[in-house]
């Protein structure tokens, strides 16, 4: 079968590989759609989360069950599923509390095991969620990033009408902005330098002009952006951090103390992906306008530099193997 293989930093290619063989607890999936995530690009550039190489990336994936191991009873061939991207140990204190996103040994599909940038893949049954047949694959696959965005909204702990500034209109920032409007009923400001992407979101959300704000979302991973949010947010404000920083953040910590600014991390999701699946039908039409025309596996190595440069007018690129 055909698969995208990551062999090292900036070493991405398409190759023919053997079809996977079922092991206990696993489900064989024919991939129908797989999204390219910012963390895929981050790993490609830095190698930060290499677990073993080569590996097939892709933790945002949707597909159809082909076969199940004999000990799997929750799924059957023909079922449509999405992947829970998290791979947790099940033994640490966080896992005992069902906080799998905080697992001490947390890994991700496409890093600790082969992911969805392939015609087929194997995943543990415990990491699959069933989806309805009427959801198009390119919408269903968004349940993973939408779950991440919903985690950010939940971490902000805000009330309807709250003034929120979102820094970064990429996949997660843009989905956060959409959820803040559609679900949390907030006043949303958006800072996004890509004019086409900004306009795409402005077509869906009545964005507010820059002004005072009490909550913020840092979705860029840029030190200067975080520093500016800390400086400009109202005293006592809360900043949710979801962007991936390439270097250690550096800003005046005394500003947090003096103005009682709260920084809160947002790691993947807890149960938010299930909640996101329930939201997909009502958001499907809007989400469809944010997804680029689908690409094939052969196009993936060439699209990575384009996405890294931030030139895409779309919020999400989806592969259809």
């Amino acid at each position: 079968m055909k698969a995208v293989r990551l062999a090292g930093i900036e070493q991405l290619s398409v190759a023919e590989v053997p079809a996977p063989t079922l092991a206990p607890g696993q489900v064989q999936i024919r991939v129908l759609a797989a999204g390219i995530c910012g963390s895929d690009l981050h790993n490609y550039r830095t190698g930060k989360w290499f677990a073993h190489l080569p590996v097939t990336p892709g933790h945002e994936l949707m597909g159809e069950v082909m076969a199940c191991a004999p000990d799997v009873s929750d799924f059957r061939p023909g079922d449509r599923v999405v992947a829970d991207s998290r791979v947790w140990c099940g033994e640490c204190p966080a896992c005992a509390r069902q906080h799998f996103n905080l697992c001490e040994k947390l890994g991700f599909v496409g890093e600790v095991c082969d992911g969805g940038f392939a015609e087929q893949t194997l995943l543990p049954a415990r990491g699959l969620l069933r989806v309805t047949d009427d959801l198009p694959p390119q919408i269903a696959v968004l349940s993973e990033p939408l779950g991440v965005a919903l985690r950010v909204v939940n971490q902000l702990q805000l009330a309807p009408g709250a003034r929120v500034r979102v820094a970064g209109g990429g996949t997660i920032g843009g989905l956060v902005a959409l959820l803040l409007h559609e679900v949390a009923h907030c006043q949303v400001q958006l800072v996004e330098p890509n004019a086409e992407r900004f306009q795409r979101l402005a077509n869906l959300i009545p964005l507010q002009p820059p002004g005072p704000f009490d909550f913020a979302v840092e979705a860029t991973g840029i030190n200067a952006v975080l520093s500016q949010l800390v400086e400009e947010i109202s005293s006592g404000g809360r900043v949710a951090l979801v962007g991936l920083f390439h270097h250690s953040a550096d800003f005046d910590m005394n500003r947090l103390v003096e103005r009682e600014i709260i920084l809160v991390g947002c790691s993947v999701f807890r149960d938010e992906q299930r909640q996101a699946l329930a939201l997909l039908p009502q958001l499907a039409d809007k989400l469809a306008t944010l997804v680029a025309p689908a690409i094939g596996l052969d196009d993936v190595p060439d699209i990575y530099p384009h996405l890294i440069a931030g030139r895409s007018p779309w919020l999400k690129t989806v592969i259809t193997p």
Side-chain angles (χ1 to χ4, degrees):
M1 69 172 191
K2 186 180 291 187
V4 175
R5 301 292 278 173
L6 180 64
I9 293 175
E10 298 187 353
Q11 297 179 42
L12 199 68
S13 62
V14 181
E16 288 290 332
V17 299
T21 303
L22 276 173
Q26 290 186 330
V27 173
Q28 185 177 8
I29 299 166
R30 179 169 68 92
V31 180
L32 299 179
I36 300 177
C37 175
S39 61
D40 293 319
L41 305 178
H42 186 75
N43 205 23
Y44 166 83
R45 294 171 64 189
T46 68
K48 182 173 182 180
W49 299 299
F50 286 165
H52 66 86
L53 294 172
V55 68
T56 296
H59 58 268
E60 301 175 5
L61 70 101
M62 180 272 177
E64 183 179 284
V65 173
M66 300 174 64
C68 302
D71 60 339
V72 173
S73 59
D74 294 338
F75 299 97
R76 65 183 63 183
D79 285 345
R80 290 195 162 200
V81 295
V82 293
D84 179 336
S85 58
R86 306 166 301 173
V87 180
W88 61 90
C89 73
E91 300 173 353
C92 70
C95 287
R97 301 193 304 271
Q98 304 287 298
H99 295 173
F100 300 126
N101 64 318
L102 302 180
C103 171
E104 293 177 2
K105 299 179 180 178
L106 184 66
F108 291 92
V109 172
E111 295 168 8
V112 301
C113 64
D114 286 336
F117 294 179
E119 294 175 326
Q120 300 177 26
T121 193
L122 293 179
L123 290 177
R126 75 173 190 179
L128 298 175
L129 301 172
R130 188 177 282 104
V131 299
T132 58
D133 292 343
D134 57 342
L135 268 181
Q138 287 177 263
I139 298 300
V141 76
L142 297 178
S143 70
E144 201 277 351
L146 193 66
V148 174
L150 190 56
R151 179 66 181 165
V152 175
V153 174
N154 289 342
Q155 288 286 77
L156 282 174
Q157 301 178 11
L158 35 70
R163 303 176 300 180
V164 189
R165 178 174 293 179
V166 179
T171 302
I172 301 305
L175 292 178
V176 167
L178 181 64
L179 290 172
L180 285 170
H181 171 66
E182 294 284 334
V183 177
H185 309 294
C186 295
Q187 303 176 57
V188 183
Q189 304 171 27
L190 177 66
V191 180
E192 168 52 50
N194 184 315
E196 291 178 284
R197 192 179 295 162
F198 180 92
Q199 188 57 50
R200 196 171 294 279
L201 287 163
N203 292 339
L204 301 178
I205 306 165
L207 297 173
Q208 303 297 311
F213 58 99
D214 309 303
F215 298 87
V217 178
E218 202 305 301
T220 72
I222 299 173
N223 291 347
V225 173
L226 175 57
S227 295
Q228 185 174 2
L229 290 175
V230 169
E231 284 299 315
E232 296 183 0
I233 196 169
S234 302
S235 294
R238 179 183 293 259
V239 181
L241 306 178
V242 69
L244 295 174
F245 288 82
H246 293 282
H247 306 285
S248 298
D250 181 19
F251 61 95
D252 185 357
M253 297 294 290
N254 289 329
R255 301 297 287 160
L256 303 181
V257 177
E258 295 162 354
R259 302 180 57 233
E260 293 194 348
I261 304 300
I262 300 168
L263 301 186
V264 56
C266 305
S267 178
V268 209
F269 43 73
R270 290 197 183 163
D271 196 46
E272 282 88 355
Q273 187 177 11
R274 291 183 185 275
Q275 299 168 30
L277 279 169
L279 287 172
L280 282 179
Q282 75 183 68
L283 297 177
D285 289 344
K286 291 182 172 63
L287 292 171
T289 69
L290 305 177
V291 180
I295 65 171
L297 292 171
D298 289 327
D299 302 316
V300 174
D302 289 335
I303 202 71
Y304 262 49
H306 179 73
L307 296 176
I308 289 170
R311 293 192 294 264
S312 175
W314 309 91
L315 271 72
K316 177 58 63 178
T317 298
V318 173
I319 305 159
T320 53

